[in-house]
Amino acid sequence: MSERPIKIEVQSYFDGGLLQYIGWSILGFIVTVCTLGICYPWALTMLYRWKIEHTVIEGRRLKFNGSAVGLFGNWIKWWLLCIVTVGIYSLWLFISLEKWKTKHTTFA
Protein backbone atom coordinates (compact mmCIF):
# COMPACT_ATOMS: atom_id res chain seq x y z
CA MET A 1 0.00 0.00 0.00
CA SER A 2 1.50 3.36 -0.98
CA GLU A 3 1.24 6.25 1.38
CA ARG A 4 0.24 9.59 0.04
CA PRO A 5 2.09 12.58 1.43
CA ILE A 6 0.13 14.65 3.87
CA LYS A 7 -0.56 18.06 2.46
CA ILE A 8 -0.76 20.79 5.08
CA GLU A 9 -2.11 24.10 3.92
CA VAL A 10 -0.51 27.04 5.59
CA GLN A 11 -2.28 30.29 5.03
CA SER A 12 -0.93 33.68 4.09
CA TYR A 13 -2.90 36.69 5.24
CA PHE A 14 -2.85 40.34 6.24
CA ASP A 15 -4.30 41.22 9.65
CA GLY A 16 -4.09 45.02 9.69
CA GLY A 17 -7.23 47.10 10.04
CA LEU A 18 -8.54 50.01 8.01
CA LEU A 19 -8.67 52.43 10.95
CA GLN A 20 -5.06 51.63 11.84
CA TYR A 21 -4.01 52.25 8.24
CA ILE A 22 -5.86 55.55 8.09
CA GLY A 23 -4.35 56.63 11.42
CA TRP A 24 -0.77 55.79 10.41
CA SER A 25 -1.27 57.47 7.01
CA ILE A 26 -2.61 60.66 8.58
CA LEU A 27 0.24 60.72 11.10
CA GLY A 28 2.80 60.26 8.32
CA PHE A 29 1.18 63.04 6.28
CA ILE A 30 1.13 65.44 9.24
CA VAL A 31 4.77 64.76 10.12
CA THR A 32 5.82 65.19 6.49
CA VAL A 33 3.94 68.49 6.10
CA CYS A 34 5.08 69.90 9.46
CA THR A 35 8.74 69.16 8.65
CA LEU A 36 8.46 70.42 5.06
CA GLY A 37 9.23 66.94 3.73
CA ILE A 38 12.42 66.36 5.71
CA CYS A 39 10.83 63.53 7.71
CA TYR A 40 9.24 61.86 4.68
CA PRO A 41 11.65 58.88 5.00
CA TRP A 42 10.41 58.47 8.59
CA ALA A 43 6.80 58.47 7.40
CA LEU A 44 7.63 55.89 4.72
CA THR A 45 9.38 53.54 7.15
CA MET A 46 6.61 53.94 9.73
CA LEU A 47 3.88 53.01 7.25
CA TYR A 48 5.91 50.24 5.62
CA ARG A 49 6.71 48.73 9.06
CA TRP A 50 2.99 48.65 9.84
CA LYS A 51 2.20 46.91 6.54
CA ILE A 52 4.98 44.33 6.85
CA GLU A 53 4.41 43.49 10.50
CA HIS A 54 0.74 42.74 9.78
CA THR A 55 1.61 40.33 6.96
CA VAL A 56 1.89 36.56 7.41
CA ILE A 57 3.32 34.44 4.57
CA GLU A 58 2.77 30.69 4.80
CA GLY A 59 2.29 30.91 8.54
CA ARG A 60 5.37 33.08 9.17
CA ARG A 61 4.99 36.71 10.18
CA LEU A 62 7.22 39.23 8.44
CA LYS A 63 9.39 41.74 10.29
CA PHE A 64 10.82 45.05 9.07
CA ASN A 65 14.13 46.15 10.57
CA GLY A 66 14.84 49.25 8.49
CA SER A 67 15.20 52.63 10.16
CA ALA A 68 14.32 56.15 9.10
CA VAL A 69 17.94 57.21 9.66
CA GLY A 70 19.15 54.45 7.32
CA LEU A 71 16.63 55.44 4.68
CA PHE A 72 17.40 59.15 5.10
CA GLY A 73 21.05 58.57 4.11
CA ASN A 74 19.97 56.70 0.99
CA TRP A 75 17.26 59.29 0.30
CA ILE A 76 19.84 62.10 0.21
CA LYS A 77 22.12 60.03 -2.04
CA TRP A 78 19.26 59.16 -4.41
CA TRP A 79 18.09 62.78 -4.71
CA LEU A 80 21.64 63.97 -5.35
CA LEU A 81 21.87 61.39 -8.12
CA CYS A 82 18.59 62.74 -9.54
CA ILE A 83 19.99 66.27 -9.54
CA VAL A 84 23.34 65.27 -11.09
CA THR A 85 21.66 63.20 -13.82
CA VAL A 86 19.04 65.90 -14.50
CA GLY A 87 16.25 63.62 -13.33
CA ILE A 88 17.26 60.48 -15.22
CA TYR A 89 18.04 58.59 -12.00
CA SER A 90 14.46 59.18 -10.88
CA LEU A 91 13.49 56.36 -13.23
CA TRP A 92 15.42 54.01 -10.90
CA LEU A 93 14.39 55.68 -7.65
CA PHE A 94 11.32 53.48 -7.11
CA ILE A 95 13.41 50.33 -7.75
CA SER A 96 16.10 51.52 -5.33
CA LEU A 97 13.46 52.10 -2.65
CA GLU A 98 11.93 48.65 -3.22
CA LYS A 99 15.38 47.03 -2.97
CA TRP A 100 16.02 48.87 0.29
CA LYS A 101 12.67 47.79 1.75
CA THR A 102 13.21 44.18 0.69
CA LYS A 103 16.74 44.14 2.13
CA HIS A 104 15.29 45.12 5.52
CA THR A 105 12.37 42.68 5.52
CA THR A 106 12.78 39.26 7.15
CA PHE A 107 10.71 36.56 8.80
CA ALA A 108 10.09 37.13 12.52
Side-chain angles (χ1 to χ4, degrees):
M1 197 182 245
S2 65
E3 292 184 32
R4 293 176 20 203
I6 299 173
K7 187 175 183 179
I8 300 173
E9 286 192 37
V10 183
Q11 292 186 342
S12 298
Y13 58 91
F14 180 79
D15 62 6
L18 177 62
L19 291 179
Q20 290 175 327
Y21 178 72
I22 291 170
W24 285 114
S25 297
I26 291 171
L27 179 62
F29 177 77
I30 290 170
V31 167
T32 301
V33 169
C34 289
T35 62
L36 302 175
I38 293 172
C39 287
Y40 182 64
W42 178 82
L44 276 179
T45 55
M46 177 191 64
L47 193 56
Y48 190 68
R49 176 172 283 109
W50 178 82
K51 288 178 185 176
I52 285 301
E53 294 184 356
H54 283 88
T55 302
V56 176
I57 304 292
E58 294 185 359
R60 297 176 69 189
R61 188 165 294 276
L62 295 179
K63 180 171 177 53
F64 180 67
N65 61 17
S67 70
V69 173
L71 179 57
F72 189 76
N74 283 317
W75 201 254
I76 296 298
K77 177 180 71 174
W78 295 336
W79 282 110
L80 287 174
L81 284 168
C82 285
I83 292 168
V84 169
T85 62
V86 193
I88 295 172
Y89 186 75
S90 65
L91 299 171
W92 284 270
L93 189 64
F94 175 77
I95 299 300
S96 296
L97 180 59
E98 290 303 310
K99 286 180 179 180
W100 183 85
K101 290 191 298 190
T102 303
K103 179 180 177 182
H104 291 90
T105 302
T106 60
F107 286 106

